[in-house]
Amino acid sequence: MEALTTILNPGVLFFILGFVAVLLKSNLSIPESVVRFLSLYLMLSIGFKGGISLYHSPLFGDGLIIIAIIIAMSAFVPFYSYLLFKKRLGVADAAAIGATYGSNSTLTYITAAGFLTSIGQAYEGYMTVALVVMETPAIIIAVIMAQCAMKTKSTKSTRTVIRESLTDGTLLVLVGSMGIGYLLTALGTETSPLATFIEGDMFTGMLVFFLLYMGTVVGRKFRELDHFPPMLAAFAIIAPIVNGMIAFGLCKLFGFQHGDALLLIILCASSSYIVAPAILKDTLPDANPAKFLTMSMGITFPLNIVSGIPVYWWMVENWL
């Protein structure tokens, strides 16, 4: 019964609702302006709460170990992905898949954080720092590998790739709100007036609404899987599980707290479908978005949302 309750949380159910609506060819539609607001709200909320928590739990001890793990995985995943697909798909597609799977899904992280909040499980503020840190390294490493292999420069320099990764709008709100939350807490400024805006029922409602939208997006991507290469579909399922299991093993080795462990596993098991694809569009123009974007959004994302989070949490609770 407990396992069923974990799996059938409101976010998952509304995600499935959006997915089914598309398969039924419903006219369900959410305006892009509303989606943009929801995205920015979720970033602001997670960032601000992370900043407050980071002040009370400085980036030492477990925090530094987790950041080191994140950086290591951001290098390891694009490397093995590139080696696996280089001869099969070509340099550009191999590097793009590596960048996508070496980076992370902020929404998957937010969903996992929302799940922890809903069950009253705490996690430290440095996990939000880990989320930010993981966005960029894999993209840079993958682009550099591709440039070296092709012995040519892409339309954008590595410096430009770094700048665009760090100044992406949603990421900037996440980092900025985290800094504001940390600063206000350090100054002793009252932050409770924001509590009703960024926590509790309002946060849960916003997250559920956004997951409803993502269900419709994934439903549309799912339709593209009819003639999708089985090799890529298999990778989109197996690689996140392998990455997640590596993270789980490290959590067990270092004895991380349960909330931190779940978020670290999810960061390593997720893949980017916003920041990385947006940058790869110009840095690796020869890469085919229909491959890496469909893998990330159409397969890996729903896998993590529907089954990954509850299964990993069960493992953390029972085996960590």
Side-chain angles (χ1 to χ4, degrees):
M1 184 65 180
E2 181 181 350
L4 185 62
T5 302
T6 302
I7 294 173
L8 299 180
N9 66 76
V12 171
L13 293 175
F14 275 92
F15 175 84
I16 294 173
L17 173 62
F19 180 83
V20 171
V22 171
L23 296 187
L24 294 176
K25 298 182 179 180
S26 166
N27 63 352
L28 175 64
S29 177
I30 300 174
E32 284 298 322
S33 57
V34 174
V35 173
R36 182 66 175 170
F37 166 75
L38 291 171
S39 176
L40 292 175
Y41 166 82
L42 293 171
M43 294 293 180
L44 185 151
S45 179
I46 288 291
F48 192 82
K49 289 188 292 185
I52 295 173
S53 181
L54 183 61
Y55 177 80
H56 296 294
S57 303
L59 195 59
F60 297 113
D62 285 353
L64 289 178
I65 296 173
I66 287 174
I67 296 298
I69 291 172
I70 285 295
I71 294 173
M73 290 296 289
S74 293
F76 174 62
V77 175
F79 181 72
Y80 82 68
S81 303
Y82 179 76
L83 292 181
L84 181 64
F85 288 117
K86 180 181 177 182
K87 291 184 178 180
R88 294 177 173 87
L89 301 177
V91 169
D93 282 335
I97 291 172
T100 301
Y101 279 82
S103 187
N104 61 64
S105 164
T106 304
L107 181 57
T108 307
Y109 174 92
I110 290 175
T111 305
F115 166 75
L116 291 175
T117 300
S118 71
I119 62 173
Q121 177 66 51
Y123 60 91
E124 302 296 344
Y126 47 67
M127 293 311 302
T128 305
V129 178
L131 167 67
V132 175
V133 168
M134 199 174 187
E135 284 282 5
T136 306
I139 301 172
I140 297 170
I141 291 169
V143 170
I144 291 175
M145 286 193 299
Q147 290 177 351
C148 291
M150 294 185 290
K151 296 181 180 179
T152 182
K153 292 291 183 181
S154 65
T155 57
K156 293 188 178 182
S157 66
T158 302
R159 181 182 297 179
T160 303
V161 173
I162 296 174
R163 181 183 62 79
E164 291 194 354
S165 298
L166 296 177
T167 58
D168 173 74
T170 52
L171 184 62
L172 199 60
V173 170
L174 177 68
V175 176
S177 58
M178 182 170 60
I180 292 171
Y182 184 94
L183 178 62
L184 293 179
T185 307
L187 294 175
T189 304
E190 183 65 44
T191 59
S192 58
L194 283 172
T196 55
F197 179 68
I198 64 174
E199 296 180 355
D201 294 340
M202 184 167 183
F203 176 83
T204 302
M206 293 285 195
L207 177 59
V208 162
F209 203 83
F210 194 71
L211 285 172
L212 172 65
Y213 162 75
M214 288 307 303
T216 65
V217 174
V218 171
R220 288 191 289 270
K221 279 292 175 185
F222 187 77
R223 290 179 173 178
E224 300 174 11
L225 297 179
D226 288 346
H227 305 290
F228 199 69
M231 174 181 63
L232 297 184
F235 181 87
I237 296 171
I238 297 172
I241 296 174
V242 171
N243 297 338
M245 289 300 96
I246 293 174
F248 177 80
L250 292 170
C251 289
K252 193 172 182 65
L253 176 65
F254 290 105
F256 297 142
Q257 297 178 27
H258 286 187
D260 296 349
L262 177 67
L263 294 180
L264 176 60
I265 293 168
I266 283 298
L267 284 174
C268 294
S270 64
S271 58
S272 176
Y273 56 83
I274 298 176
V275 176
I279 296 173
L280 292 171
K281 178 172 62 68
D282 294 319
T283 55
L284 291 176
D286 293 334
N288 184 1
K291 294 177 181 176
F292 60 83
L293 191 55
T294 301
M295 291 168 66
S296 178
M297 183 175 288
I299 302 175
T300 301
F301 176 73
L303 177 70
N304 279 325
I305 294 295
V306 175
S307 61
I309 293 173
V311 170
Y312 291 138
W313 178 244
W314 180 86
M315 292 175 60
V316 165
E317 275 196 310
N318 290 277
W319 295 347
L320 201 59

